[in-house]
Structure formats: C-alpha cells, structure tokens
C-alpha cells in the first residue's frame, strides 16, 4: 500500500540519500588516489584496486539484492546495508595500509549494492501507482547526478582536508538515513524460508566478478597479453553460461530469470546497458579531456559539470509529470538519446583553444538528455513488474547499467590507446624536411628561444621539444574527439531498441505494495 503525506516524503528523502551515498562513492575516490598512494606508500597498481574492488563487489551483489530483500525482509536488508556501509566507511578512512583499505572497500561495495537497488524498490512501493513517473524521476536524481558530482566533491574534500574525510563524511549522513529508515519505512513480508542456492551464489560471484575485473583492469594489463586476464575472461564466459543454466533449472534461484518474460523488462536490460555506457563513459572522458588538454584543475572541471547536473535535477520532475499524463516514454527516451548524440557531436569538434564557455552548452544539452533518458528508460523497464519481482528487476536493471558503464570505460580507454598511436603516426607523416611549413615553424621557434638568450644548439633542441609537445597535444585532441564520436554513435544506433518496448496508453505503477 502506497504512503501519503509527510511519511511518503520522508521515506523518499531517506532512500534517495542512502542511494546517493553509494553512487557518489563510486567516483568520489578517483581524485584522491594519488594522495592515498603517497600516504600509504602503495604502487599505482595497488591503489587502483581501491576502485576496482568496490566496483567488482558492487556488481556481484546487485543481482542478488532482490533475493536477499525477499529472504530477510526489504526493510531489514536496506537498514543493514546502510549500517554496514556507514561503519565500513569509518574503517576505510581509518585504514593503516593498502591491504586494509582494499578489503574495507570491497565490504563497502557489497553493502552499497544492496543500497541502490533496494532503495529503488522501496521508493516505487511508497508512491501510488498513478505517479510512477515522479517516483522514477526522484530516484533518477541520485542515479544520474551522483556519479557526476562525485569527483567534484572528492576534489574539494581532498584539497580542504585530507583523503580519509571522503569516507568520514558518510558517517553522519548514513546515521541519519539509518534512523529514518528504521522509523518510517514499512516492512514487507519475508518470503518463506527456502533452501539457499549456494551454487548459484558461487557461480554468480565467479561470472560477474571475473567480468567486472576484466573490464576494470584489461586495458592497464594489455588485455589478453596478461595470463590472469585470459583466465578471468574464460571464467566469466563459462561462469555466465553455468549460472544461467543453474538458475533456470533450480526450484529456488537467487536470480529469477522468469521476469524476462516481460518484454518491456527484457528490452529494458539492454537500454539500461546503453544508458550506463553513455553516463559513465562521458563522466570518464570529459574530466580527463579538460585536465589533460585544456589545463583545468579538478575543481574547475567539477564546476563545469555542475550546471549540467543542475539542469538534470530541474528537468526530472517535469519528465515525471509528462509520464504521469501519458506522454509515451519511448518518444522522450529517443529524444534523450538524440540530445546525447548532439552533446558528443559538439565536443567532437573541440580544439586546443576550446574554453569553459565552449563546453557549457554541450554539457547543458547532456543534462537535458540524461533526464529524458533515465526516467523513461527505467519506467519502461520496470512498469510491468510487481510484488517480489520488483526487487529482482531493480537489482538486474541496476547491474546492467553498472556493467554498461564498465564496458563504456573499457571500450573508450582502449579506443584512446589505439587511436592515439594511429593519429600520432598520421601526424608524423608530415614531419619531414621537405615540408616548408615545418621548416618555417622550427625556424620561428628557434629564433624565439635564441632571443631569450639561448645558444643556437640549445634553441634548436628546445624548438624540437616544443614541436613534440604540440604533436602530442594534437594527437590527444584527435583521440578524445574520436571517443566523443563513438559515444554518440552508440546512442544513435540504440534508438530502435526503445521502440521494441510496447506502447501503453498510460504507464501503470511498477508495484502492488504488500
């Protein structure tokens, strides 16, 4: 039964706050890695596992969260996830060495996976069935804005205080969320005790954990040139097939694949994957592009992302109201994908003279596009689910978005690596003494350095170094332009998927509350 009045809104604020904790922690640590590395005396490879361990644990628990919520009660599981996440955040900030920090981050990821999907299920049960669009829009505020503002918040905390505080800030927020969850959220009936599918849990951990690790570490380990990446890839493939076979053949699966009978949800799994590709991929490429080529620091980059995030926040309620009034979600989602393509297309024409004003409009377009994407796509995917299916669907849907983001980052990282070599080779074809433009540029640079008091030999050496720097910057520019172009193409070619989902006169609620 849906809630009303003050209780409805306090539950809404509680679950959004709890999910924001998990979503912001997905990216907030990234800017603090150099500080953690120096403070704990770790190598770059070791400190990277602070991010990888969290992501792997998060993806493993997401598809299981529906089963866990059903077995222990959705409120109990949600409350336990908040408490564990908050306590482990303290342990992360208090870690004395890298091994401790990695272990605590894995535990934090396991608790965080329970937060995000259970929060969505509770929120959709709290709102009445005719207001599904508004409920989805409110949840989307955290899901879209959280990963975007994470690096900004992390950068500010590290600069003003110290890296442990990126974890300590979770403690008061988590404590308040736990109190409100215990006080206001209604318990749903637990499912009857059934045998635990331990084989399913093991195969899920092997399959999803291996896949996520390959995506996180593949590029840095030169992909299949590294033995453990090959082993994990085989484990991911075999584990996936065995897991699906196990869940389809057992009477008590931990992941109920029967919900894929709903065409809207089955197609929604793919569209959520594409959404993750665009959301996390663009958040990955843009800060690196700004800080590597345009000379912005972390705080400036975060300030650039803020107006687009604010635009998403402003748009979300309007999108929800349009859905409630019966505007087809397919049309809004298609418009969102097109706007995302416009955003990437505009940035794919960037130059080395691109400034803050030049990227503001594309980021605002992205903000509108993300609002048009997240709410309709999630609503379409979840609209036919109800009761126990809601928790299962929420977990799988969030897992696909997370995997889409991991695939996006892995693909774009590989693209940047390979296209960088291609563009450099292409540019070097023009570096020849037979090129009068090159000779003119070298002479100009040499005379400039000589005018500052350098000898002819030193000035010539410096001129060649300056030319090398210009080639490197042009190479990176062309490479990042390619990355933006690919992200846009993925969105454009995914538009037909949206129209595979059935049209409805008016979307019903995604749940019949217990």
């Amino acid at each position: 039964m849906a809630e009303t009045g003050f209780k409805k809104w306090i539950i809404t604020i509680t679950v959004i706050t709890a999910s924001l904790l998990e979503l912001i922690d997905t990216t907030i640590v990234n800017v603090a890695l150099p500080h953690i590395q120096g403070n704990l005396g770790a190598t770059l490879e070791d400190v990277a596992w602070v991010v990888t361990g969290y992501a792997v644990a998060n993806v493993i628990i997401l598809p299981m969260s529906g089963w866990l919520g059903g077995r222990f009660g959705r409120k109990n599981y949600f409350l336990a996830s908040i408490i564990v996440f908050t306590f482990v955040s303290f342990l992360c900030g208090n870690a004395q060495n890298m091994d401790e920090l990695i272990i605590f981050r894995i535990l934090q990821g396991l608790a965080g996976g329970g937060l995000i999907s259970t929060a969505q299920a509770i929120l959709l049960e709290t709102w009445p069935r005719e207001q599904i669009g508004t409920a989805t829009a409110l949840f989307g505020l955290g899901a879209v804005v959280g990963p975007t503002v994470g690096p900004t918040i992390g950068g500010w905390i590290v600069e003003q205080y110290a890296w442990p505080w990126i974890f300590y800030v979770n403690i008061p927020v988590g404590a308040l969320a736990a109190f409100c969850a215990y006080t206001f959220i209604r318990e749903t009936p637990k499912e009857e005790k059934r045998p635990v599918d331990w084989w399913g849990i093991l195969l899920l951990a092997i399959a999803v954990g291996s896949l996520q690790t390959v995506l996180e570490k593949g590029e840095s380990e030169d992909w299949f040139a590294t033995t453990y990446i090959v082993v994990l890839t085989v484990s991911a493939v075999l584990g996936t097939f065995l897991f699906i076979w196990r869940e389809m053949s057992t009477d008590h699966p931990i992941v109920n694949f029967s919900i894929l009978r709903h065409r809207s949800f089955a197609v929604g799994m793919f569209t959520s994957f594409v959404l993750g590709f665009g959301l996390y991929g663009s958040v990955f490429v843009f800060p690196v592009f700004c800080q590597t080529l345009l000379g912005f620091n972390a705080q400036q980059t975060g300030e650039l992302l803020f107006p687009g995030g604010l635009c998403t926040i402003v748009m979300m309620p309007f999108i929800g109201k349009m859905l409630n009034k019966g505007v087809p979600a397919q049309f809004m989602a298609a418009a969102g994908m097109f706007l995302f393509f416009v955003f990437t297309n505009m940035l794919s024409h960037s130059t080395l003279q691109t400034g803050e004003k030049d990227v503001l409009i594309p980021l605002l377009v992205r903000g509108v596009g993300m609002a048009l994407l997240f709410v309709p796509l999630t609503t379409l995917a979840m609209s036919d689910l109800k009761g126990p299916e809601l928790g299962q669907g929420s977990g799988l849907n969030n897992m696909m978005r997370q995997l889409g983001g991991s695939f996006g980052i892995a693909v774009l990282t590989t693209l940047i690596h390979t296209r960088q070599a291609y563009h450099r080779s292409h540019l070097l074809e023009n570096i020849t003494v037979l090129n009068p433009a090159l000779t003119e540029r070298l002479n100009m640079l040499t005379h400039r350095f000589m005018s500052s008091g350098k000898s002819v030999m030193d000035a010539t050496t410096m001129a060649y170094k300056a030319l090398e720097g210009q080639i490197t910057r042009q190479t990176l520019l062309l490479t990042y332009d390619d990355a933006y172009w690919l992200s846009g193409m993925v969105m454009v070619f995914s538009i037909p998927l949206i129209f595979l989902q059935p049209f409805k006169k008016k979307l019903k609620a995604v749940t019949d509350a217990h």
Side-chain angles (χ1 to χ4, degrees):
M1 153 179 242
E3 303 287 356
T4 58
F6 171 78
K7 191 173 182 181
K8 179 180 76 171
W9 283 105
I10 197 68
I11 292 174
T12 299
I13 294 171
T14 298
V15 297
I16 291 175
T17 301
S19 61
L20 267 174
L21 282 176
E22 192 276 337
L23 290 160
I24 289 176
D25 267 56
T26 304
T27 55
I28 194 174
V29 179
N30 295 6
V31 294
L33 292 181
H35 299 267
I36 296 173
Q37 181 183 358
N39 187 255
L40 298 183
T43 65
L44 183 60
E45 291 183 355
D46 289 338
V47 79
W49 281 101
V50 174
V51 176
T52 303
Y54 181 89
V56 170
N58 202 265
V59 171
I60 288 174
I61 207 70
L62 275 171
M64 292 174 54
S65 58
W67 173 77
L68 289 167
R71 186 172 182 84
F72 299 106
R74 193 169 292 157
K75 174 182 176 178
N76 293 336
Y77 179 53
F78 182 63
L79 182 60
S81 296
I82 297 175
I83 293 172
V84 172
F85 188 92
T86 304
F87 177 66
V88 176
S89 293
F90 167 77
L91 296 179
C92 286
N94 202 47
Q96 301 300 307
N97 55 61
M98 186 53 60
D99 290 339
E100 285 186 7
L101 182 57
I102 292 172
I103 291 172
F104 296 148
R105 278 287 283 175
I106 291 173
L107 294 175
Q108 193 183 40
L110 291 173
L115 279 179
I116 186 69
S117 55
T118 312
Q120 185 179 19
I122 291 172
L123 183 63
L124 294 172
E125 284 186 331
T126 300
W127 283 70
R129 63 175 60 232
E130 66 272 12
Q131 296 178 339
I132 173 180
T134 302
T136 307
L138 290 169
F139 179 79
L141 291 178
V144 174
V145 176
T148 303
V149 302
T152 307
I153 297 173
W156 183 84
I157 290 175
V158 169
E159 287 185 12
Q160 300 297 321
Y161 301 98
W163 69 263
W165 283 96
I166 63 177
F167 299 110
Y168 291 153
V169 293
N170 292 336
I171 297 173
V173 180
L176 180 61
F179 171 77
C180 292
Y182 176 78
T183 306
F184 297 104
I185 294 176
R186 180 190 291 122
E187 180 59 275
T188 54
K190 301 176 186 178
E191 296 177 0
E192 60 178 274
K193 295 293 183 181
R194 297 180 299 178
V196 178
D197 182 18
W198 293 110
W199 278 109
I201 294 174
L202 176 63
L203 290 170
L204 174 65
I206 292 173
V208 179
S210 297
L211 176 59
Q212 183 71 14
T213 305
V214 168
L215 294 173
E216 292 276 340
K217 305 293 291 185
E219 173 61 25
S220 62
E221 298 289 352
D222 197 20
W223 293 106
F224 302 115
T226 307
T227 302
Y228 90 87
I229 294 295
V230 175
V231 172
L232 288 177
T233 302
V234 174
S235 298
V237 174
L238 290 179
T240 299
F241 280 113
L242 290 173
F243 173 69
I244 293 174
W245 171 79
R246 170 69 185 181
E247 298 308 282
M248 296 294 286
S249 59
T250 185
D251 294 329
H252 308 289
I254 59 166
V255 176
N256 182 15
F257 284 115
S258 67
I259 62 176
L260 292 173
R261 71 184 184 279
H262 301 293
R263 189 175 70 175
S264 58
F265 181 76
V267 177
M269 295 273 283
F270 290 99
T271 54
S272 293
F273 183 90
V274 174
L275 175 63
F277 190 107
L279 173 61
Y280 290 96
S282 58
V283 170
F284 163 73
V285 173
F286 182 76
V288 179
F289 166 70
C290 287
Q291 295 176 45
T292 303
L293 283 178
L294 304 185
F296 301 158
N297 59 33
Q299 187 168 341
Q300 287 175 312
T301 304
E303 290 171 354
L304 283 174
L305 289 168
F306 182 75
L310 185 62
C311 191
T312 302
I313 293 174
V314 172
M315 286 292 298
M316 285 282 193
F318 293 103
I319 303 300
K321 289 181 180 179
M322 291 170 68
L323 283 172
N324 292 339
K325 291 180 178 179
V327 178
Q330 288 86 343
F331 293 143
M332 286 191 281
M337 285 190 170
F338 178 75
L339 286 178
F340 189 90
F341 166 74
V342 172
F343 151 72
T344 57
N345 186 61
M346 293 174 74
L347 286 185
S348 70
H349 293 89
S350 299
T351 68
L352 294 176
Q353 284 70 47
T354 295
E356 294 183 14
K357 294 181 180 179
D358 300 307
V359 299
L360 178 60
I361 298 300
L363 288 173
L364 291 176
V365 172
R366 176 187 180 273
V368 176
M370 278 298 163
L372 284 166
L373 272 172
F374 185 90
V375 181
L377 288 181
T378 305
T379 302
L380 282 169
M382 306 288 287
S383 60
D384 288 336
L385 306 184
K386 60 183 69 175
E389 292 181 339
L390 184 59
Q392 290 277 354
S394 178
L396 286 173
N397 194 54
N398 282 290
M399 182 197 72
M400 289 302 291
R401 188 174 67 249
Q402 194 88 351
L403 283 177
S406 298
F407 265 96
I409 292 173
V411 169
L412 293 175
T413 302
T414 303
L415 175 79
I416 289 171
H417 179 75
T418 55
R419 295 295 289 179
Q420 190 172 338
Y422 167 80
H423 286 303
R424 179 176 176 81
S425 175
H426 182 69
L427 289 174
L428 288 177
E429 292 176 1
N430 299 309
I431 305 302
T432 169
V433 294
L434 300 178
N435 186 342
L438 172 66
T439 304
E440 182 180 351
R441 174 63 63 87
L442 282 173
N443 288 335
M444 180 189 70
L445 291 171
T446 301
H447 284 98
R448 179 186 300 173
F449 290 124
M450 288 176 64
S451 65
S452 63
K454 303 296 181 182
S455 66
V456 175
M457 182 176 296
D458 289 343
T460 303
T461 301
M462 293 173 70
Y464 275 105
K465 288 182 178 179
L467 185 63
E468 168 64 22
Q470 292 175 0
I471 293 172
T472 300
R473 285 169 58 80
Q474 287 288 345
T475 297
L476 288 172
L477 175 66
L478 293 171
T479 301
Y480 287 120
D481 287 350
D482 288 348
Y484 287 128
W485 180 85
L486 176 63
S487 297
M489 288 297 102
V490 169
M491 284 292 183
V492 167
F493 286 111
S494 298
I495 290 177
L497 280 175
I498 298 171
F499 294 98
L500 293 177
Q501 293 175 303
F503 281 84
K504 299 175 183 177
K505 291 183 179 180
K506 191 170 182 179
L507 286 168
K508 298 179 181 179
V510 299
T511 176
D512 286 336
H514 292 286

